């Protein structure tokens, strides 16, 4: 053989090695090494949400914020070190991202039965699925086998995550950078049928007197969000059913009652309008698309095989 493989040899190499890469990610990944892992994690997550129902939204969001920054590698869980600044203090996460202690508790429970086997990245991925189910949302099969990163990226957390003030074209571009299309984006945005947002994220919108916001809705929101001060005052993203996973989010958008600018741009005369309309009429279609999009998102830029590590504690490198 010469210095270079010919095309036939290249095809053989791809056939031999590509299936092995895929085989490292499987719903049954821990069946032999830690058969009770998935059940143990589910129990821990359900207990946390039973104590505070809002935690379901926080865990889904935590997973999203992890995957959009150097992939689904649990980098968002790492605390700052002398070698790098973590993602927890980046603008989209500081005083906003929450649920770290819930993931830590699930990790501790799994470490108690199978030390050093289950990654924090897999726990975070399972937690998002279990959180959805706990509040009446869809379920989906989670392929497991992710490994944890040894570093985090403060800069990418600030640049790669959508912001509450972004327009539709910017949001679409950020999702396209992660190989997620507009339908995926609109479906994943439906997670805003749960949870709350801080006043500083929607103040400009509710005081804008714009044509894209219902006047009564804006007036109601101003009660908890003054023009000055109260930046961290909370308001539910969905006034109707803030703790249940349903399709009211899309119905709200059609009534110009999206809390965030980045919500309402999904239904404002643009390319996403038809998808919002479809989801508002058919909750099952939304559920199906949300589940599919969560699977796609959960497999962004994974560390597999010998790449990455299994952290013993989610907030620190071993």
């Amino acid at each position: 053989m010469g210095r270079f493989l010919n095309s036939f040899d290249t095809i053989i190499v791809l056939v031999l090695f590509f299936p092995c890469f895929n085989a490292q990610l499987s719903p049954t990944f821990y069946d032999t090494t830690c058969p009770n892992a998935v059940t143990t994690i589910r129990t821990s997550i359900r207990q946390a949400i039973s104590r505070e129902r809002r935690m379901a939204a926080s865990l889904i969001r935590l997973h999203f914020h992890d995957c959009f920054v150097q992939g689904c590698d649990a980098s968002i869980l790492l605390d700052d070190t002398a070698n790098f600044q973590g993602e927890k203090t980046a603008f989209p996460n500081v005083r906003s991202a929450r649920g770290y202690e819930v993931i830590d508790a699930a990790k501790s429970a799994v470490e108690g039965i199978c030390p050093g086997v289950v990654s924090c990245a897999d726990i975070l991925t399972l937690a998002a699925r279990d959180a959805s189910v706990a509040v009446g949302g869809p379920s989906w099969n989670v392929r497991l086998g992710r490994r944890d990163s040894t570093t985090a990226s403060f800069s990418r957390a600030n640049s790669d995550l959508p912001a509450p003030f972004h327009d539709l074209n910017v949001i679409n571009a950020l999702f396209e950078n992660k190989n997620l299309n507009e339908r995926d984006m609109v479906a994943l945005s439906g997670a805003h049928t749960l949870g709350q947002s801080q006043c500083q994220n929607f103040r400009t919108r509710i005081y804008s007197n714009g044509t894209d916001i219902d006047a009564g809705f804006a007036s109601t929101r101003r009660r908890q969000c003054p023009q000055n001060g109260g930046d961290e005052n909370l308001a539910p993203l969905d006034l109707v059913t803030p703790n249940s996973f349903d399709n009211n989010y899309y119905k709200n958008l059609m009534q110009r009652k999206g809390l965030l600018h980045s919500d309402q741009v999904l239904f404002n005369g643009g390319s996403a309008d038809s998808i919002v309309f479809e989801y508002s009429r058919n909750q099952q279609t939304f559920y199906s698309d949300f589940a599919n999009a969560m699977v796609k998102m959960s497999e962004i830029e994974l560390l597999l095989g010998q790449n990455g590590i299994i952290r013993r504690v989610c907030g620190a490198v071993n």
Side-chain angles (χ1 to χ4, degrees), residues 100-112:
Y100 300 111
E101 74 285 356
V102 175
I103 302 302
D104 288 342
K107 173 65 170 175
S108 179
V110 171
E111 285 292 298

Side-chain angles (χ1 to χ4, degrees), residues 240-278:
V240 184
T241 54
N243 292 315
S244 296
F245 199 108
D246 52 35
N247 65 341
N248 274 328
Y249 169 78
Y250 302 104
K251 296 176 182 179
N252 294 337
L253 297 185
M254 294 183 65
Q255 297 171 18
R256 298 180 295 131
K257 295 179 180 179
L259 183 61
L260 306 178
H261 175 78
S262 57
D263 289 325
Q264 195 59 55
V265 295
L266 303 188
F267 191 82
N268 200 26
S271 57
D273 282 18
S274 61
I275 307 173
V276 170
F277 178 76
E278 182 180 359

Side-chain angles (χ1 to χ4, degrees), residues 8 10 15 42 50 58 72 81 114-115 128 160 169 192 199 202 240 251 276 285:
F8 178 78
T10 302
V15 169
R42 182 187 301 121
S50 69
S58 298
C72 305
T81 72
C114 308
D160 290 10
N169 61 330
H192 281 187
C199 170
F202 58 85
V240 184
K251 296 176 182 179
V276 170
T285 298

Side-chain angles (χ1 to χ4, degrees), residues 188-209:
L188 290 171
S189 297
H192 281 187
T193 191
L194 299 170
Q196 303 185 58
S197 186
Q198 296 179 352
C199 170
Q200 62 186 336
N201 294 329
F202 58 85
R203 177 184 285 116
T204 299
R205 173 164 163 74
I206 63 173
Y207 286 99
S208 68
N209 295 315

Side-chain angles (χ1 to χ4, degrees), residues 23-50:
Q24 294 172 8
L25 207 63
S26 166
T28 60
F29 187 84
Y30 296 112
D31 279 10
T32 300
T33 56
C34 192
N36 292 320
V38 174
T39 301
T40 300
I41 294 164
R42 182 187 301 121
T43 298
S44 186
I45 298 305
R46 283 180 175 174
Q47 288 173 346
I49 294 172
S50 69

Side-chain angles (χ1 to χ4, degrees), residues 180-239:
L180 296 167
N181 60 37
E182 186 170 61
R183 194 173 185 89
D184 296 327
M185 181 274 290
V186 177
L188 290 171
S189 297
H192 281 187
T193 191
L194 299 170
Q196 303 185 58
S197 186
Q198 296 179 352
C199 170
Q200 62 186 336
N201 294 329
F202 58 85
R203 177 184 285 116
T204 299
R205 173 164 163 74
I206 63 173
Y207 286 99
S208 68
N209 295 315
T211 58
D212 66 338
I213 186 167
D214 177 84
F217 173 78
S219 177
T220 299
R221 296 310 185 129
R222 290 172 186 165
R223 297 171 191 167
Q224 296 299 320
C225 185
Q227 284 189 287
N228 297 294
D231 283 0
E232 295 183 20
N233 290 358
L234 294 172
L237 289 157
D238 171 18
L239 269 173

Side-chain angles (χ1 to χ4, degrees), residues 36-171:
N36 292 320
V38 174
T39 301
T40 300
I41 294 164
R42 182 187 301 121
T43 298
S44 186
I45 298 305
R46 283 180 175 174
Q47 288 173 346
I49 294 172
S50 69
R51 290 192 296 269
E52 183 194 4
R53 199 164 171 85
R54 178 190 168 203
M55 187 54 68
S58 298
L59 293 173
I60 293 171
R61 182 169 182 260
L62 198 61
H63 178 47
F64 172 78
H65 280 222
D66 179 47
C67 292
F68 261 58
V69 181
Q70 68 181 41
C72 305
D73 60 358
S75 60
I76 195 173
L77 305 178
L78 286 171
D79 295 321
D80 293 353
T81 72
N83 298 320
F84 64 82
Q85 184 175 8
E87 297 162 22
K88 290 181 177 181
T89 55
F91 179 75
N93 297 326
V94 65
R95 295 186 301 277
S96 173
R98 58 197 297 273
Y100 300 111
E101 74 285 356
V102 175
I103 302 302
D104 288 342
K107 173 65 170 175
S108 179
V110 171
E111 285 292 298
I113 58 173
C114 308
V117 173
V118 183
S119 69
C120 298
D122 274 344
I123 292 172
L124 191 51
T125 306
L126 286 165
R129 189 271 309 274
D130 295 341
S132 171
V133 174
V135 291
S139 184
W140 55 90
N141 288 327
V142 177
R143 299 203 305 160
L144 302 166
R146 295 162 191 77
R147 289 170 69 85
D148 301 325
S149 65
T150 56
T151 187
S153 178
F154 176 85
S155 61
R156 286 187 65 179
N158 280 319
S159 65
D160 290 10
L161 286 162
F165 50 81
H166 278 156
D167 289 328
L168 182 61
N169 61 330
V170 177
I171 299 170

